[in-house]
Amino acid sequence: LGGANWLAPLIALVTLAVALRPPAWTRPVPPYLTALLVGVALHHLLAATPLAGALGPLLDAPEFRWLTPDAMAPLFGQAGAGLFVGNVWLLLAQFAFAVAMMSSLQSALAGSTIDEMTYRRHSSERELFAQGAANVAVGLFGAPPSAASTTRSKLDLDAGGTTAMSRLVFGVALLVALAVGLRFMDLVPMAAIAGVFFAVAFGLVDDWTRGAARVLWREGRAGRLPRQLAHSYAVMLLVAAVTVFVSLPAAIGLGTLVAMVMFIRSNTRPPVRRVVHADRRTSRKVRPAAEAELLREYGRRIAVIELDGALFFGTAEAADEEIGRLAADSDYIVIDFEHVSEVDASGARVLLHAADSVQRAGRHLFFAGLGRDNPSVRMIRDMDVHGRLADAHFFDDADGALEAAEDRLLASLAYAAQGEAELTLARTLLGAGLTDEELAVLSACLVERRVPRGEAVFRRGDAGDALYVSLRGQIGIWLPAADGAGRPRRMISYAPGVAFGEIGLLQGLPRSADAIAEDDARVLELSRPAYERIAAQHPVLLGKLLLNLSHLMASRVRALTDELEALHARR
């Protein structure tokens, strides 16, 4: 410490501050170059003062040499003199294999990070083939091998380069800088370079990692540390520590080993169980015939992706690709987590990236099977450091999400405006096909009831002494929780205009479920005495009513058949 240059940290800090927050008037110049120039100027200004002795050293620039076609000639010249005798060839092969593996892994890691920065997806196979061919070519001229670099790419992106041409310009500019400007590099202080390096390192720590650190700190202080997130973060810190204090190859080896262990712990089932569309599988909401026909015609615009097993870094990538593919073909995407056993930090990160892609494409995203007590919800929300799910919709089950998607689709087809108006008896399923005289007779037999939202039209166990038809408001049929344990479950719902409760009336059995108004509802009630009066006095009207009810039951059976077929169909 006695020989420390105490002004060097000051120069490094000034350089770091300019690199992270450059002045507005320097925007045309890349921030790292601006910071480096500021550090150089500050160093040489202080060098002209009595404080010059407290400054740090300047860069000892290496000598630049152009590649030569005969760089490998000495190696080939020694081939016949015993160079490859014994184990020398084995040593060279081991070194070549290690370098190739290291370069490939580094390129794969860098490509994943760059994809997140640019919102694009590159071809790993093409990238590795191109780099391999380039390394073989330049190796013949004596150049060392290279690989993709997140640092170089971030410098290029921060300077505004986003196209393939920017990479070519970057490479040529770097070559010119080395050939021409290397002789001036001995004017650059090491402290300024250190400041720029710190700025680049800070920028390479992604938002998820910083956000996860804040979540762990906050939840840890509250005594509810998220275990899965803590495990993922601990592995990340371990690999980072090995990289810094041991070597990058050891860190990659350790990370690969941990990945294998995590993979074995998880199942290897495909992450996407099946994909179905709303023209094959509809929600349990019974709709008027016109709406049902629209869903059959345009249901391909709604896709339901059923995920399965554990979502971690080894499987979530496939889910991301499937979601990205559907984002180009479907307007409403439901992601069902009902069969997902686990979502780790990597899986949540990939899903958030997929959600970002869907919403950037102008599509609508619905998450199903993520109840409030589901730990996956907490993991995904904790990792959502950028609010990518702010516009997404969360539902307890896939049926609720699918119903919401259907409502949005019908609204986009300009059908909702028609459906929102209060219906008349003639436009209901019960009154379909009746003459004016028959409608008058039926209307005289019906009693109007207004049911506030959340109130019951009837309860389980009540006498089945009437059927109902809603003119306004949706009615849900709920199965109460057994013995008061658990939560009620919605079995089906009825849109305005659809009759319900007819089974109890026809069979005379008690109600098997609760009928709850999910909106402020206006319903018409046909009691048993009124039904029997119609049967006795108006047999033709009775036949038409039974025909309408048979059409309703047939549509329910058909919907159930389509749902079962979709569930068992191959993806």
Side-chain angles (χ1 to χ4, degrees):
L1 293 179
N5 300 307
W6 60 273
L7 281 179
L10 175 62
I11 295 175
L13 288 175
V14 171
T15 305
L16 174 61
V18 174
L20 295 179
R21 291 185 177 273
W25 56 271
T26 64
R27 285 179 182 174
V29 182
Y32 299 131
L33 179 57
T34 301
L36 190 64
L37 293 175
V38 169
V40 171
L42 180 60
H43 176 94
H44 289 286
L45 284 175
L46 293 175
T49 69
L51 300 175
L55 296 172
L58 298 174
L59 175 67
D60 185 11
E63 180 184 357
F64 177 81
R65 293 184 181 178
W66 289 97
L67 299 180
T68 57
D70 59 347
M72 299 296 291
L75 177 64
F76 294 122
Q78 295 293 327
L83 177 62
F84 297 106
V85 177
N87 294 325
V88 176
W89 67 272
L90 180 60
L91 178 64
L92 292 176
Q94 291 175 347
F95 177 79
F97 179 78
V99 170
M101 288 297 297
M102 282 290 302
S103 300
S104 300
L105 288 172
Q106 181 177 333
S107 296
L109 292 171
S112 176
T113 304
I114 295 167
D115 283 349
E116 294 181 6
M117 295 179 181
T118 59
Y119 299 103
R120 299 175 183 174
R121 181 175 289 119
H122 76 292
S123 171
S124 299
E125 185 175 355
R126 289 180 58 190
E127 182 75 20
L128 292 179
F129 269 114
Q131 291 186 12
N135 282 332
V136 170
V138 299
L140 295 176
F141 297 92
S146 64
S149 170
T150 307
T151 307
R152 291 197 303 268
S153 299
K154 180 169 176 53
L155 291 171
D156 187 18
L157 292 171
D158 289 346
T162 58
T163 64
M165 180 59 69
S166 71
R167 295 193 289 269
L168 178 61
V169 172
F170 186 97
V172 172
L174 183 60
L175 182 63
V176 172
L178 290 174
V180 179
L182 201 59
R183 68 189 69 177
F184 304 107
M185 289 300 290
D186 54 6
L187 298 175
V188 179
M190 292 294 293
I193 295 178
V196 172
F197 274 20
F198 268 106
V200 174
F202 180 81
L204 291 178
V205 180
D206 59 24
D207 294 325
W208 283 277
T209 303
R210 291 195 289 265
R214 291 192 293 267
V215 170
L216 289 172
W217 174 258
R218 183 184 69 244
E219 298 299 312
R221 294 185 61 185
R224 52 176 187 266
L225 190 68
R227 185 177 63 177
Q228 188 61 48
L229 180 59
H231 288 173
S232 300
Y233 207 80
V235 172
M236 184 271 293
L237 290 177
L238 177 61
V239 174
V242 173
T243 302
V244 174
F245 296 106
V246 183
S247 66
L248 181 60
I252 293 180
L254 177 63
T256 304
L257 179 61
V258 173
M260 293 171 61
V261 172
M262 293 179 65
F263 187 81
I264 293 173
R265 285 182 61 247
S266 305
N267 58 71
T268 57
R269 289 175 295 179
V272 179
R273 191 181 189 197
R274 65 173 62 87
V275 176
V276 293
H277 294 269
D279 60 341
R280 298 287 303 280
R281 173 191 174 184
T282 59
S283 69
R284 297 190 184 98
K285 182 175 182 178
V286 180
R287 302 177 183 273
E291 290 188 23
E293 184 60 31
L294 283 175
L295 290 177
R296 279 192 292 271
E297 182 178 357
Y298 297 98
R300 294 290 301 179
R301 293 168 60 180
I302 301 176
V304 180
I305 305 174
E306 296 184 9
L307 303 180
D308 194 18
L311 285 178
F312 62 111
F313 71 92
T315 60
E317 199 72 37
D320 183 14
E321 293 178 359
E322 186 69 22
I323 295 169
R325 182 183 67 82
L326 290 171
D329 301 324
S330 304
D331 296 327
Y332 307 88
I333 300 175
V334 177
I335 304 179
D336 186 7
F337 285 80
E338 182 180 355
H339 301 282
V340 173
S341 59
E342 182 180 5
V343 179
D344 72 353
S346 301
R349 177 178 175 178
V350 171
L351 287 175
L352 289 172
H353 181 263
D356 194 25
S357 301
V358 169
Q359 294 178 357
R360 285 168 63 86
R363 298 333 192 233
H364 304 280
L365 191 63
F366 302 81
F367 286 99
L370 292 176
R372 292 185 178 181
D373 55 349
N374 191 319
S376 300
V377 175
R378 190 171 177 181
M379 168 66 70
I380 293 173
R381 290 191 184 276
D382 285 345
M383 294 295 291
D384 189 15
V385 296
H386 269 324
R388 287 171 168 78
L389 301 181
D391 296 328
H393 309 277
F394 287 80
F395 297 86
D396 290 337
D397 54 43
D399 184 70
L402 184 54
E403 178 183 319
E406 291 172 349
D407 291 340
R408 296 285 291 271
L409 174 59
L410 291 173
S412 71
L413 297 173
Y415 189 86
Q418 174 185 352
E420 287 178 357
E422 187 163 295
L423 299 177
T424 61
L425 179 60
R427 291 175 53 198
T428 66
L429 183 145
L430 195 63
L434 302 184
T435 64
D436 292 341
E437 293 78 5
E438 291 169 336
L439 285 172
V441 171
L442 179 59
S443 179
C445 296
L446 296 171
V447 176
E448 179 180 319
R449 289 179 55 186
R450 294 186 181 274
V451 186
R453 179 178 181 180
E455 296 293 327
V457 179
F458 55 76
R459 293 285 185 184
R460 182 178 184 179
D462 291 349
D465 55 359
L467 69 81
Y468 304 85
V469 60
S470 172
L471 299 182
R472 174 179 288 276
Q474 181 169 303
I475 306 297
I477 305 300
W478 291 76
L479 189 63
D483 301 327
R487 295 185 303 174
R489 181 178 181 184
R490 189 174 77 162
M491 305 302 296
I492 199 171
S493 64
Y494 296 101
V498 179
F500 62 96
E502 75 285 352
I503 295 179
L505 176 66
L506 297 176
Q507 293 184 330
L509 297 177
R511 303 295 185 186
S512 58
D514 298 340
I516 307 297
E518 298 179 346
D519 306 291
D520 291 336
R522 176 173 172 247
V523 301
L524 300 177
E525 175 182 331
L526 179 64
S527 64
R528 180 174 297 280
Y531 172 80
E532 292 174 350
R533 188 164 60 252
I534 291 175
Q537 301 176 5
H538 305 279
V540 176
L541 173 59
L542 175 66
K544 291 184 177 181
L545 294 179
L546 293 177
L547 179 61
N548 288 340
L549 293 177
S550 67
H551 287 164
L552 171 63
M553 295 180 182
S555 66
R556 293 178 189 170
V557 173
R558 178 176 180 177
L560 178 61
T561 303
D562 290 343
E563 182 176 355
L564 291 174
E565 182 182 1
L567 288 175
H568 293 283
R570 289 188 175 182
R571 185 167 62 89

